[in-house]
Amino acid sequence: MSGPALQHRRIHNLLLVQKLLSLREGTSPFTLVLDTIEQSARPLIRRYIRNAKVSQKTNVVFVAFETHIAPPDVTKFIKASGKDTAALQTEIRASSCSPPSKKPSLLAIYHTDVPVPPSPGAPSPYAPSALTTLRYLATTILTIHSFQQSLARKRAAERSLPEPLFGLAEEREGVLVGLQGVSGGRRHRGEMVVEMEYRRKSGRAVEETYYFPPPSPLTSKEKAIVLLDDHPEYTPPKTEDEGVDAQAQFSTFELGLTDKQRREREGVVLPYYDAQKDGGGGGPGDGGRILYDMGVEDDFDEEEDEI
């Protein structure tokens, strides 16, 4: 991608993710967040709540299915575990303080590592799964990855090694080890890689991958989000010398020229060089005439030259 195109993509997609995180009205009515056991979506949810707290214009209704502790700075906390669906809907509507003219935005978290048991009241065994339905309805899908694991996968791909497996994908018996217990986990604690798929009203999707720094306290300034390709650890900056060395590393012959070879190449006179001059032969446009000086080893044929 060229420089101007890359700069346009960088500015456009960074502004887009800021609009999504600020929960501006109409940007994304339904945002689906997919996390795993290796990387929780909690830092991202803290960023959403922080932005709502800073704006002081957004009411946050937190519906919890797996915790009984309300996160800080939420307007209303609802315990949804064990409640009937109809009663839960009534409680959510009653807790919404938004005026009728303002459309709410829904943010849902789906744990992809948690198996979903089959529902006995399913209308059909061929009905789509809950995740498939949520993906179909969502206007924005954010997939969370660990920055440390993303670095490990990239290093393995650069060395043509098999992609490393983490968490449940390892299929190992025993106790799962979190990121804080492995080497380098504390160094990259709180850093995330977020894959975004934003669906416009026209149907065209905008896809981008971001690097999210660790969340900052409310009293301090939030660290900037950057594209994953712009992170120095993921894509180290290359100098011109490093680029030449990289080309020479994957070739079986020398691509460059020495100063002596460059001078000798510039001193070579091409056979058609004189024909391009005004004084050479009949001058430019002389019917494609070829000028050739015969040598001692050439066979001079008088009959052919007379034709």
Side-chain angles (χ1 to χ4, degrees), residues 227-257:
L227 302 185
L228 181 61
D229 294 338
D230 293 340
H231 194 276
E233 288 191 51
Y234 190 83
T235 307
K238 294 183 179 180
T239 61
E240 295 182 359
D241 296 338
E242 290 179 353
V244 173
D245 294 341
Q247 293 180 356
Q249 181 180 359
F250 295 101
S251 93
T252 57
F253 54 90
E254 180 65 32
L255 298 177
L257 296 176

Side-chain angles (χ1 to χ4, degrees), residues 11 32 43 55 63 74 91 99 122 134 162 166 202 263 297 299 303:
I11 296 175
L32 177 64
S55 65
V63 182
V74 297
E91 187 175 357
L134 291 174
F166 303 95
S202 61
R263 288 193 301 268
E297 66 279 359
D299 185 12
E303 295 180 359

Side-chain angles (χ1 to χ4, degrees), residues 19 43 46 49 68 76 79 118 136 145-146 180 205 209-210 214 217 264 271 274 287:
K19 289 176 61 178
R46 289 197 213 107
I49 298 176
H68 298 280
K76 179 68 176 179
K79 299 178 182 179
Y136 176 78
H145 301 284
S146 165
Q180 300 178 13
T209 307
Y210 301 92
E264 292 177 351
D274 291 337

Side-chain angles (χ1 to χ4, degrees), residues 67-112:
T67 181
H68 298 280
I69 302 175
D73 303 324
V74 297
T75 309
K76 179 68 176 179
F77 180 76
I78 300 176
K79 299 178 182 179
S81 179
K83 290 186 178 180
D84 182 69
T85 304
L88 182 59
Q89 291 177 350
T90 304
E91 187 175 357
I92 293 175
R93 291 194 189 99
S95 302
S96 179
C97 306
S98 303
S101 59
K102 187 175 181 180
K103 298 180 180 180
S105 297
L106 179 63
L107 178 67
I109 304 175
Y110 188 93
H111 306 308
T112 56

Side-chain angles (χ1 to χ4, degrees), residues 216-236:
S216 303
L218 188 61
T219 55
S220 61
K221 185 178 179 181
E222 194 75 57
K223 296 180 180 179
I225 301 171
V226 298
L227 302 185
L228 181 61
D229 294 338
D230 293 340
H231 194 276
E233 288 191 51
Y234 190 83
T235 307

Side-chain angles (χ1 to χ4, degrees), residues 1-11:
M1 185 177 294
S2 60
L6 179 61
Q7 184 67 12
H8 178 269
R9 166 201 161 195
R10 180 184 295 111
I11 296 175

